[in-house]
Amino acid sequence: MAPSAAEASSTWVELEPRTALVAGCLLVAALCAWPVWRTWRAWRSTHDRRGLALLTAIGCTLIFVGAPLALAADAGTSGVRVSGTRVETTRFGEPRTGVDLADLTSVEVGCEGSLGPLTPGRWDHYVRLTGSTPSGGRIEIEVTTARFESLQPLLDALEPVVRERPGLSTTWGR
């Protein structure tokens, strides 16, 4: 038996994070671990300019190992979930920001230029949602294929809303 309309609208669909983003960051951190370890060994064995060597070792650790690990952690724990009535961004599975589809003021679908071979053309699509909060504030959520495997669940949830309110988007269906 198919779920009722009320049950279907309350079911959440999580957008899958792009595995290449998480795995790539972890690979960079792993590949840079050995040179950074060598930098720390050089610091321990130096007698001249010990302060400069320490700053170099700390900087190398933060840039070449810490930054990729932080990006992998962020990409792996941040997400977007969609229901028939709401879109929410999450962090560690807990909602951070969200907008009801009924409160949307603008839906923009498009492509932005890629960075060449680092971001192939299939990774440059985005959906930008602008809405209002119950207190009258403005909220904007941007979901990109650089971060998520597919935007299709989001587009599927937005289709009936944009069909009912055609002025909501000038970029829909392009």
Side-chain angles (χ1 to χ4, degrees):
M1 180 176 200
S4 69
E7 290 171 339
S9 68
S10 65
T11 339
W12 290 101
V13 176
E14 294 272 342
L15 298 183
E16 292 294 320
R18 184 161 295 284
T19 353
L21 180 62
V22 177
C25 291
L26 292 175
L27 179 64
V28 166
L31 290 174
C32 290
W34 185 78
V36 168
W37 176 73
R38 296 281 296 162
T39 306
W40 280 100
R41 281 189 58 199
W43 168 73
R44 277 186 276 154
S45 65
T46 189
H47 298 294
D48 298 336
R49 297 185 179 174
R50 194 154 171 85
L52 181 60
L54 177 62
L55 287 176
T56 302
I58 291 171
C60 287
T61 302
L62 291 175
I63 292 170
F64 297 117
V65 177
L69 287 177
L71 182 59
D74 181 54
T77 60
S78 299
V80 172
R81 64 184 189 173
V82 181
S83 76
T85 58
R86 188 165 173 81
V87 176
E88 290 183 343
T89 61
T90 61
R91 182 70 188 246
F92 295 109
E94 297 297 319
R96 290 289 180 200
T97 59
V99 63
D100 289 327
L101 298 182
D103 295 335
L104 287 175
T105 57
S106 170
V107 175
E108 183 182 347
V109 179
C111 292
E112 292 180 338
S114 72
L115 300 173
L118 295 177
T119 57
R122 66 181 180 276
W123 289 13
D124 62 359
H125 299 282
Y126 69 90
V127 176
R128 192 171 295 127
L129 307 172
T130 307
S132 58
T133 62
S135 62
R138 182 173 177 235
I139 189 164
E140 187 173 297
I141 297 174
E142 182 173 281
V143 184
T144 67
T145 52
R147 192 85 185 225
F148 299 98
E149 293 286 342
S150 173
L151 301 179
Q152 199 56 50
L154 177 59
L155 295 173
D156 292 344
L158 290 172
E159 185 176 5
V161 176
V162 173
R163 196 176 327 117
E164 288 175 12
R165 298 168 38 201
L168 196 60
S169 177
T170 59
T171 59
W172 191 265
R174 286 187 180 181

